Amino acid sequence: MATQHSRSAARLMMAPAVVLLLGWMLVPLTMTLYFSFRKYLPLRGGDLGWVGFDNYVRFVSSSAFWPSVQATLVIVGGVLFITVVLGVLLAVLLNQPMWGQGIVRILVIAPFFVMPTVSALVWKNMFMDPVNGLLAHLWGLFGAEPLVWLTEASTQSIILIVSWQWLPFATLILLTAIQSLDSEQLEAAEMDGASPVKRFGFITLPHLSRAITVVVLIQTIFLLSIFAEIFVTTQGAFGTKTLTYLIFQRVLESQNIGLGSAGGVYAIILANIVAIFLMRMVGKNLDA
């Protein structure tokens, strides 16, 4: 049993890491809040003083604000739907004994280790190019006109690219959860005459509920800040300008640090609202 002295020593040894972590999080947040109340134009006069909530009003009243929030939620929702559904199916498939199972698992997980910028470039030039892309050639085999993906189906293209990147993560988490399932339950259900569909619906899927919750929560946190794929492919055009990309435009293209900082605060608020909503909807599975 840990004594009071050992617990005090453990806290003392953990203190530097905790202080460093708090500083790493709080310093950028404090600076963002500070600049959001000031008019700061680095190339046009520098710090021009305190403006109160003017930056917040200007940012939220911009014609691009609500479309960017909508685009963000659509992309996040689309990616979550694809990765969870296909992740469950792939996890069930990879859990079956097959020849070369280890190699197949490595190939399925490999896209997760590709940098987002590289992934977006590959999809843009090798798959979605309307002239030389692989998808254009496949369309041509059936006599159909090639689809200009990044203009005619821009949002769907972004969802497809990001889903390809995050599907391995979902598959890995769900595969680990399936492997922890007691095989005796499935064997007993099979002996009782339950079909594969019923075994999946009444045994496997409920067992995966906690893993699905973890996948949804973790992916949502990262997907709300999606940027690289949009910057490389559409640059925010054709309805793909997310809140993160809008902040980038305000900061770097308009050179308005105060306005961009106000957008960053809105992004933090949006992330917390989505996180609270998800925790209330699916977080209860963690306590099940």
Side-chain angles (χ1 to χ4, degrees):
M1 181 180 293
T3 63
Q4 182 66 31
H5 177 73
S6 64
R7 286 195 293 267
S8 299
R11 294 192 188 99
L12 183 62
M13 288 185 288
M14 291 174 60
V18 174
V19 171
L20 180 62
L21 182 61
L22 287 176
W24 183 41
M25 293 186 298
L26 293 179
V27 170
L29 178 60
T30 303
M31 294 182 65
T32 301
L33 287 172
Y34 172 76
F35 283 114
S36 68
F37 293 104
R38 304 188 71 83
K39 187 175 183 180
Y40 187 69
L41 309 174
L43 301 182
R44 291 178 290 170
D47 193 348
L48 301 180
W50 185 270
V51 294
F53 288 94
D54 182 62
N55 288 325
Y56 290 93
V57 174
R58 287 182 58 193
F59 196 92
V60 77
S61 60
S62 169
S63 60
F65 176 74
W66 290 111
S68 69
V69 173
Q70 181 181 0
T72 301
L73 296 178
V74 168
I75 291 175
V76 171
V79 173
L80 288 177
F81 178 79
I82 292 175
T83 53
V84 169
V85 173
L86 293 184
V88 170
L89 296 177
L90 279 175
V92 172
L93 178 63
L94 293 176
N95 192 48
Q96 306 300 318
M98 66 179 73
W99 182 85
Q101 188 179 56
I103 298 176
V104 173
R105 289 179 179 178
I106 292 175
L107 291 176
V108 170
I109 297 172
F112 187 67
F113 300 100
V114 180
M115 293 294 293
T117 305
V118 176
S119 173
L121 285 172
V122 169
W123 276 91
K124 177 182 179 181
N125 298 315
M126 293 185 61
F127 292 97
M128 295 181 173
D129 187 275
V131 178
N132 300 314
L134 178 61
L135 295 178
H137 289 293
L138 291 177
W139 257 242
L141 293 177
F142 295 97
E145 286 292 329
L147 181 66
V148 185
W149 287 85
L150 298 178
T151 57
E152 298 177 8
S154 52
T155 302
Q156 295 86 337
S157 300
I158 297 296
I159 292 175
L160 181 61
I161 294 172
V162 180
S163 298
W164 181 80
Q165 292 175 310
W166 280 96
L167 181 58
F169 171 80
T171 303
L172 184 61
I173 299 297
L174 295 170
L175 177 60
T176 304
I178 285 182
Q179 290 177 336
S180 67
L181 176 62
D182 187 3
S183 59
E184 293 182 357
Q185 298 183 34
L186 295 174
E187 293 174 358
E190 186 177 3
M191 292 179 63
D192 290 338
S195 64
V197 175
K198 290 185 177 180
R199 294 199 300 269
F200 173 79
F202 290 99
I203 298 178
T204 304
L205 197 57
H207 180 76
L208 292 177
S209 60
R210 296 183 65 186
I212 292 174
T213 300
V214 172
V215 169
V216 170
L217 291 177
I218 293 178
Q219 286 192 175
T220 301
I221 293 172
F222 286 95
L223 291 174
L224 285 172
S225 59
I226 178 176
F227 172 79
E229 297 85 350
I230 298 174
F231 179 76
V232 171
T233 55
T234 63
Q235 296 187 344
F238 311 110
T240 61
K241 183 184 296 182
T242 60
L243 186 57
T244 305
Y245 199 88
L246 181 62
I247 296 171
F248 161 76
Q249 286 186 326
R250 294 294 183 267
V251 174
L252 292 184
E253 295 184 5
S254 302
Q255 289 297 317
N256 194 329
I257 303 298
L259 195 61
S261 298
V265 175
Y266 280 124
I268 294 172
I269 295 173
L270 176 63
N272 280 275
I273 291 175
V274 173
I276 292 172
F277 173 77
L278 289 174
M279 286 300 296
R280 291 195 174 188
M281 291 295 293
V282 297
K284 59 185 179 180
N285 291 325
L286 294 175
D287 299 324

